């Protein structure tokens, strides 16, 4: 009888048991990249905890990793979820960027959208995954809902669980700056190396002994290259990564407001994309366009006014200390609209004088440059920094020795466009209330591009460069500039996340340790061989290459800094670090000493039809070939790190035909410290079958220009 009853019970409940098992099974979802190599797996683990994992060619990349948020009301969106719906789709299309490394970009991905409901609160949270060949992107989306209308995020709980103690190329996590040299170490070594990696900056706020910044480059012992970053950072704080160095798990760490809140949200809303790029070939990391593909298409109806350009500037002489931004030493402080500069004695070291600027215009015009930047042209530089001063600049009033109308007209006669400089001294409110007037002033005087700066601690005091409010400010400035048809090159702003696709008037950013640090004590020789794997993953950098004089004492006897590269390394950067805005940063009189090498800077293009990544290893070497947009011209840049090596490249990217290559390479005795200006220029007939072997020095490199014979 007992056996009969048990049989009846099993028969009655079997369908329900089966349905329960099926429901649990259906919480596991997976999607594969178009080439089949990358597999994303999503699941609701025990307790309704959302987790994802990632595999590449049967190797684990990301182990099961937690997801979700903690909220200020004491609740959390990390567990007790049920799967409402899962849907998959595929997209395969191409689009044309306004400028960039290719004239056409393919967006081919498979998508998984999981729609979740938290059973305890009835709150809705969706997670959208997109899987590309070599890359994953995912973001959180919150539909409009009564149970989650306005909410405050105190922590994002997204994890990236690594499979082991990987090698990492990292800079310290910081709420205010990315201007650090990179450190190469094991993940387990970050804690012990953190203090020594934090070098001085005019504004910096570190947060953790194991906190690092994205884009983070990693390499596993089984040969996988992994890059962690974010895309489409809009109305949300910048993400850092905090490492659990016992278990090798990174957790997202958002830049906070002064009160500790991370993000103020209003549904319907969404987060930026979290990105993982992976391959067993380092070149695929450089070739990935996932950051751009995860951004919205261009929102500007007319982009004809956006023009990539090469420029020079009255800048390096101030950076080195040869001259100054300020005009006088007489005033203890400056009051905008009250201080009468005509009654103050000039100190004689001002760089932005009419005479000096015209000298630069003459040189730039003679050698075919497009534009000239002038810093220190406007009043206020005497007390611009470190005083928490609100009204520090007005962006429209020149110093007495800078004839703005005269220079405007002179530059126009010479075919040179002037680039405006707006240093804000991080006084955000002052810049925003003066922005329309400043942009109108630019257009009235023929300035189509602006270099903006955010040096120093943010005003209001207590804010940081990378929190939600300031992320919104940087985009506000770009969108406002677009209304006036102005291109923006923002320095000290949050690092790029591909927004240049949506707003291509954002033609440049600094947001990393640029070449100015070569006058501040120098950078590591491998610095420009790691930047393409890190900072440049989000967008082009206004790195300001072209430094031909290594000994800064020759410009300023009180500055003993040294440029830690060879001259040919500097030439290589115009190709290996692609940007639609490239500067020849050194002084005209220095270029006149090396006119044969300077020819490459004159010849090289700044906008491209196609790019090929020929060699790559993080911080060791990067070799890239590119075809000029709309022209039968090709350029190659080989940037080397600290160890000398022989670069071997095939020219099979060339179409059938015969060509002439001009090769600029390190001389046999070249060395970034001992003999940096030793170089050799040769001309060689080449074809697509040609294989070149080029020796590169420590801190060296080479550049090649190729044209049809």
């Amino acid at each position: 009888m007992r056996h009969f009853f048990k049989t009846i019970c099993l028969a009655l409940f079997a369908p329900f048991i089966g349905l329960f098992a099926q429901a649990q099974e259906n919480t596991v979802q997976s999607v594969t990249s178009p080439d089949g190599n990358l597999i994303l797996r999503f699941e609701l683990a025990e307790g309704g905890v959302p987790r994802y994992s990632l595999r590449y060619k049967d190797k684990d990349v990301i182990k099961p990793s937690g997801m979700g948020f903690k909220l200020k009301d004491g609740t959390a969106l990390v567990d007790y979820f049920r799967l409402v719906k899962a849907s998959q789709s595929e997209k395969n299309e191409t689009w044309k960027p306004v400028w960039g490394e290719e004239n056409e970009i393919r967006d081919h991905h498979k998508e998984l959208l999981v729609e979740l409901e938290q059973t305890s609160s009835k709150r809705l949270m969706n997670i959208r995954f997109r899987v590309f060949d070599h890359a994953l992107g995912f973001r959180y989306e919150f539909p409009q809902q009564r149970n989650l209308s306005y909410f405050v995020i105190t922590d994002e709980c997204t994890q990236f669980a690594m499979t082991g103690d990987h090698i990492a190329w990292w800079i310290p996590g910081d709420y205010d700056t990315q201007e650090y040299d990179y450190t190469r170490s094991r993940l387990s070594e970050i804690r012990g190396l953190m203090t020594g990696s934090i070098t001085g900056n005019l504004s910096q706020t570190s947060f953790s002994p194991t906190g690092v910044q994205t884009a983070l480059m990693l390499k596993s012992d089984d040969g996988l290259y992994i890059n962690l970053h974010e895309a489409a950072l809009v109305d949300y704080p910048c993400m850092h990564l905090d490492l659990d160095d016992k278990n090798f798990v990174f957790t997202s760490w958002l830049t906070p407001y002064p009160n500790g809140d991370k993000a103020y949200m209003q549904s319907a809303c969404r987060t930026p994309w979290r990105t993982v790029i992976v391959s067993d070939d380092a070149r695929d990391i450089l070739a990935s366009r996932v950051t751009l593909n995860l951004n919205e298409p261009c929102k500007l109806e007319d982009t004809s006014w956006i023009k990539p350009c090469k420029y020079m500037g009255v800048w390096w002489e101030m950076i080195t200390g040869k001259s100054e931004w300020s005009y006088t030493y007489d005033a203890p402080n400056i009051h905008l609209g009250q201080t009468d500069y005509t009654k103050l004695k000039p100190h004689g070291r001002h760089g932005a004088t009419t005479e000096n600027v015209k000298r630069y215009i003459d040189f730039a015009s003679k050698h075919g440059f497009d534009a000239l930047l002038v810093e220190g042209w406007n009043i206020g530089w005497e007390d611009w920094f470190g005083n928490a001063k609100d009204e520090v600049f007005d962006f429209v009033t020149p110093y007495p020795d800078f004839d703005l109308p005269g220079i405007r007209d002179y530059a126009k006669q010479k075919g040179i466009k002037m680039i405006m400089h707006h240093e804000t001294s991080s006084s955000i409110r002052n810049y925003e209330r003066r922005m329309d007037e400043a942009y109108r002033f630019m257009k009235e005087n023929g300035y189509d591009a602006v270099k903006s700066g955010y040096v120093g601690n943010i005003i209001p005091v207590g804010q940081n460069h990378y929190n939600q409010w300031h992320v919104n400010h940087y985009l506000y400035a770009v969108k406002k500039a677009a209304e006036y048809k102005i291109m923006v090159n923002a320095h000290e702003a949050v690092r790029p996340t591909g927004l240049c696709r949506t707003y291509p008037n954002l033609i440049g950013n600094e947001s990393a340790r640029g070449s100015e640090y070569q006058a501040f004590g120098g950078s590591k020789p491998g610095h420009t061989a790691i930047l393409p794997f890190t900072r440049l993953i989000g967008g082009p950098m206004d790195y300001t290459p072209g430094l031909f004089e290594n000994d800064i004492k020759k410009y300023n006897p009180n500055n003993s800094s040294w440029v830690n590269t060879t001259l040919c390394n500097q030439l290589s950067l115009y190709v290996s670090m692609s940007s639609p805005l490239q500067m020849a940063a050194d002084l005209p009189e220095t270029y006149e000493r090396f006119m044969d090498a300077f020819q490459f800077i004159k010849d090289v293009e700044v906008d491209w039809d196609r790019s090929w990544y020929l060699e790559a290893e993080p911080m060791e070497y990067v070799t890239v070939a590119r075809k000029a947009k709309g022209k039968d011209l090709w350029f190659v840049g080989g940037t080397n790190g600290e160890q000398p090596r022989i670069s071997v490249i095939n020219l099979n990217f060339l179409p059938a035909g015969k060509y002439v290559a001009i090769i600029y390479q390190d001389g046999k005795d070249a060395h970034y410290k001992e003999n940096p200006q030793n170089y050799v220029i040769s001309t060689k007939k080449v074809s697509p079958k040609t294989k070149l072997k080029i020796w590169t020095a420590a801190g060296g490199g080479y550049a090649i220009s190729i044209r049809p014979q």
Side-chain angles (χ1 to χ4, degrees), residues 40-67:
L40 176 280
R41 184 177 187 271
F42 172 82
E43 65 175 334
L44 286 179
E46 184 177 353
V49 175
R51 299 196 306 182
Y52 78 100
S53 58
L54 190 66
R55 287 176 64 82
Y56 177 76
K57 292 184 178 179
D58 296 323
K59 294 180 180 180
D60 287 333
V61 180
I62 306 289
K63 297 192 298 183
S65 299
M67 311 182 82

Side-chain angles (χ1 to χ4, degrees), residues 71-116:
L71 306 183
K72 192 172 185 178
D73 63 6
T75 64
L77 297 169
V78 296
D79 53 13
Y80 299 110
F81 283 103
R82 72 176 185 92
L83 180 63
V84 176
K85 182 182 178 183
S87 55
Q88 294 198 24
S89 60
E90 183 172 358
K91 181 179 181 179
N92 186 5
E93 66 178 27
T94 57
W95 57 277
K96 289 184 174 294
V98 175
W99 47 258
E101 297 177 76
E102 290 97 11
N103 68 359
E104 190 172 80
I105 293 176
R106 187 183 185 189
D107 179 359
H108 189 193
H109 67 262
K110 294 184 179 180
E111 179 175 289
L112 167 66
L113 174 63
V114 292
E115 300 176 40
L116 307 175

Side-chain angles (χ1 to χ4, degrees), residues 337-528:
Q338 299 178 36
T339 301
D340 186 352
Y341 277 92
T342 64
K343 297 180 179 178
L344 300 176
K345 179 182 177 182
H347 53 48
R349 303 195 71 248
H350 187 215
T353 66
T354 301
E355 180 182 5
N356 195 35
V357 171
K358 286 185 175 181
R359 181 174 70 91
Y360 275 82
I361 290 172
D362 288 342
F363 185 87
S365 176
K366 178 180 178 181
H367 295 287
F369 283 80
D370 303 302
L372 182 75
L373 166 75
V374 179
E375 294 196 7
W377 68 276
N378 56 317
I379 63 170
W381 286 92
E382 286 72 20
D383 63 348
W384 73 283
F385 172 76
N387 299 306
K389 184 179 181 181
D390 187 9
E391 292 192 321
V392 60
F393 294 115
D394 68 9
F395 312 106
V396 296
T397 307
Y399 279 122
D401 59 354
F402 183 82
D403 178 9
L404 190 142
I407 289 171
R408 172 198 65 204
D409 296 342
Y410 188 78
K412 186 176 181 179
Q413 293 170 10
K414 294 284 187 172
I416 294 294
K417 297 291 293 187
M418 298 298 293
I419 298 177
M420 180 59 75
H421 183 228
H422 287 169
E423 175 55 59
T424 68
S425 192
S426 287
S427 181
I428 304 301
R429 182 177 66 170
N430 182 56
Y431 193 36
E432 288 194 352
R433 68 185 171 218
R434 297 179 183 272
M435 197 174 284
D436 279 290
E437 180 187 13
Y439 286 163
R440 281 196 299 269
F441 180 80
M442 284 179 59
K443 296 305 291 184
E444 290 167 359
N445 287 281
Y447 290 76
D448 296 329
V450 61
K451 174 185 175 181
S452 57
Y454 297 88
V455 174
N457 293 328
I458 293 288
I459 305 168
V461 174
Q463 296 277 357
N464 297 108
H465 282 74
Y466 302 157
N467 67 19
Q468 183 184 25
W469 194 86
H470 290 88
V471 165
N472 289 346
H473 162 78
Y474 304 130
L475 184 54
Y476 172 79
V478 171
K479 291 160 74 172
K480 176 63 70 173
E483 295 177 14
Y484 291 89
K485 296 187 176 181
I486 288 173
M487 298 177 286
V488 176
N489 167 28
H491 282 227
E492 295 89 28
V494 70
R495 77 282 192 282
T497 58
L499 283 169
C500 56
R501 176 186 179 182
T502 313
Y503 300 98
N505 64 313
L506 180 59
I507 57 167
N509 279 100
E510 182 192 39
S511 308
R513 187 181 177 100
S515 66
E516 63 185 357
Y517 276 82
Q518 299 285 14
F520 302 157
S523 295
K524 293 178 182 178
H527 186 59
T528 49

Side-chain angles (χ1 to χ4, degrees), residues 10 182 208 256 446 515:
L10 286 173
Y182 280 82
S208 167
S515 66

Side-chain angles (χ1 to χ4, degrees), residues 11-29:
L12 289 171
F13 285 101
F16 297 100
I17 293 170
L19 287 172
F20 179 76
Q22 185 180 5
Q24 289 295 98
E25 221 174 85
N26 286 344
T27 65
V28 178
Q29 302 287 328

Side-chain angles (χ1 to χ4, degrees), residues 494-684:
V494 70
R495 77 282 192 282
T497 58
L499 283 169
C500 56
R501 176 186 179 182
T502 313
Y503 300 98
N505 64 313
L506 180 59
I507 57 167
N509 279 100
E510 182 192 39
S511 308
R513 187 181 177 100
S515 66
E516 63 185 357
Y517 276 82
Q518 299 285 14
F520 302 157
S523 295
K524 293 178 182 178
H527 186 59
T528 49
I530 186 59
L531 286 175
F533 290 96
T534 52
R535 162 60 185 78
L536 272 65
I537 293 295
M541 181 178 177
D542 183 30
Y543 183 74
T544 64
L547 304 180
F548 282 11
E549 179 53 69
N550 297 74
D551 187 358
I552 304 303
K553 289 197 301 292
K554 292 183 178 179
Y555 295 152
N556 175 11
N558 298 316
N559 187 341
S560 59
S561 295
W562 187 269
V563 178
N564 290 321
T565 73
T566 68
L567 188 148
C568 284
N569 175 286
Q570 291 288 311
L571 295 182
S572 75
L573 303 180
Y574 290 90
V575 185
S576 65
M577 294 180 62
S578 172
S579 174
L581 184 71
Q582 288 282 30
M583 185 182 198
D586 218 323
L587 310 187
E589 54 266 38
T590 296
Y591 289 134
E592 286 172 345
R593 293 164 46 206
F594 303 99
M595 289 306 297
D596 54 352
F598 185 61
Q599 186 64 43
F600 181 81
I601 299 179
K602 293 170 60 175
D603 291 342
V604 70
E605 297 288 325
V606 294
D607 200 12
W608 310 103
D609 270 339
R610 193 173 172 192
S611 298
W612 298 266
Y613 302 90
L614 307 181
E615 302 176 303
E617 185 64 25
M619 214 168 182
E620 294 185 23
Y621 53 86
V622 173
T623 306
V624 186
R626 307 190 195 272
K627 180 185 179 297
K629 182 171 283 188
K631 300 177 182 178
D632 289 334
L633 297 172
W634 292 261
F635 297 87
V636 181
T639 301
N640 195 37
E642 193 159 10
Q643 298 302 318
R645 64 181 293 269
I646 295 176
S647 173
V648 180
I649 60 170
N650 289 308
L651 302 188
N652 54 11
F653 55 84
L654 293 170
K658 296 180 179 180
Y659 301 88
V660 174
I662 303 175
I663 304 171
Y664 304 75
Q665 65 187 93
D666 296 322
K668 64 178 182 178
D669 298 321
H671 185 279
Y672 74 92
K673 274 287 190 184
E674 306 301 327
N675 200 5
Q677 295 170 337
N678 180 217
Y679 62 91
V680 176
I681 303 174
S682 60
T683 301
K684 183 180 180 68

Side-chain angles (χ1 to χ4, degrees), residues 176-445:
D176 285 296
T177 186
Q178 284 201 302
E179 295 179 354
Y180 292 116
D181 253 324
Y182 280 82
T183 299
R184 179 189 184 276
S185 77
R186 292 283 181 176
L187 294 177
S188 59
E189 298 172 321
I190 290 176
R191 184 182 298 270
L193 296 171
M194 181 60 71
T195 300
S197 72
I198 300 175
T199 51
N201 192 276
L202 297 178
S203 179
Q204 55 192 151
T205 309
S206 57
F207 63 87
S208 167
T210 56
V212 297
Q213 299 196 47
T214 70
L216 176 68
M217 192 66 209
L218 303 158
K219 186 178 182 181
S220 68
D221 289 342
D222 57 0
L224 291 184
Y225 297 88
I226 305 165
N227 185 280
L228 306 179
H229 194 33
E230 63 180 324
L233 175 58
V234 176
D235 196 19
Y236 201 78
C238 170
M239 179 184 73
H240 308 275
L241 299 171
D242 200 26
L243 175 66
D244 170 356
D245 51 357
K246 301 298 183 185
N247 299 299
F248 308 124
V249 176
F250 288 104
T251 302
S252 59
W253 186 278
L254 305 179
T255 307
Y257 282 92
N259 65 355
D261 295 343
K262 301 295 176 60
Y264 296 96
M265 311 293 283
Q266 176 188 353
S267 63
C269 58
R270 61 198 186 192
T271 70
W273 298 89
R274 278 66 189 95
T275 62
V276 183
I277 311 173
V278 60
S279 180
D280 48 15
D281 187 333
R283 295 176 297 174
D284 292 329
I285 306 297
L286 303 181
S288 175
R289 298 293 174 255
V290 65
T291 313
L292 292 174
N293 277 329
L294 290 172
N295 275 268
E296 296 294 320
C298 179
K299 292 189 176 182
L300 308 182
E301 292 184 8
D302 175 22
T303 60
S304 61
W305 50 275
I306 300 173
K307 305 290 186 183
C309 71
K310 273 186 290 187
Y311 74 105
M312 298 188 70
V314 183
W315 173 77
W316 186 238
E317 63 179 76
M318 283 89 90
I319 294 293
T320 60
K322 183 178 186 293
S323 64
E324 296 186 20
W325 288 270
S326 67
Y327 173 80
T328 182
Y329 298 146
D330 277 7
N333 57 63
I334 301 300
H335 293 271
L336 291 181
Q338 299 178 36
T339 301
D340 186 352
Y341 277 92
T342 64
K343 297 180 179 178
L344 300 176
K345 179 182 177 182
H347 53 48
R349 303 195 71 248
H350 187 215
T353 66
T354 301
E355 180 182 5
N356 195 35
V357 171
K358 286 185 175 181
R359 181 174 70 91
Y360 275 82
I361 290 172
D362 288 342
F363 185 87
S365 176
K366 178 180 178 181
H367 295 287
F369 283 80
D370 303 302
L372 182 75
L373 166 75
V374 179
E375 294 196 7
W377 68 276
N378 56 317
I379 63 170
W381 286 92
E382 286 72 20
D383 63 348
W384 73 283
F385 172 76
N387 299 306
K389 184 179 181 181
D390 187 9
E391 292 192 321
V392 60
F393 294 115
D394 68 9
F395 312 106
V396 296
T397 307
Y399 279 122
D401 59 354
F402 183 82
D403 178 9
L404 190 142
I407 289 171
R408 172 198 65 204
D409 296 342
Y410 188 78
K412 186 176 181 179
Q413 293 170 10
K414 294 284 187 172
I416 294 294
K417 297 291 293 187
M418 298 298 293
I419 298 177
M420 180 59 75
H421 183 228
H422 287 169
E423 175 55 59
T424 68
S425 192
S426 287
S427 181
I428 304 301
R429 182 177 66 170
N430 182 56
Y431 193 36
E432 288 194 352
R433 68 185 171 218
R434 297 179 183 272
M435 197 174 284
D436 279 290
E437 180 187 13
Y439 286 163
R440 281 196 299 269
F441 180 80
M442 284 179 59
K443 296 305 291 184
E444 290 167 359
N445 287 281

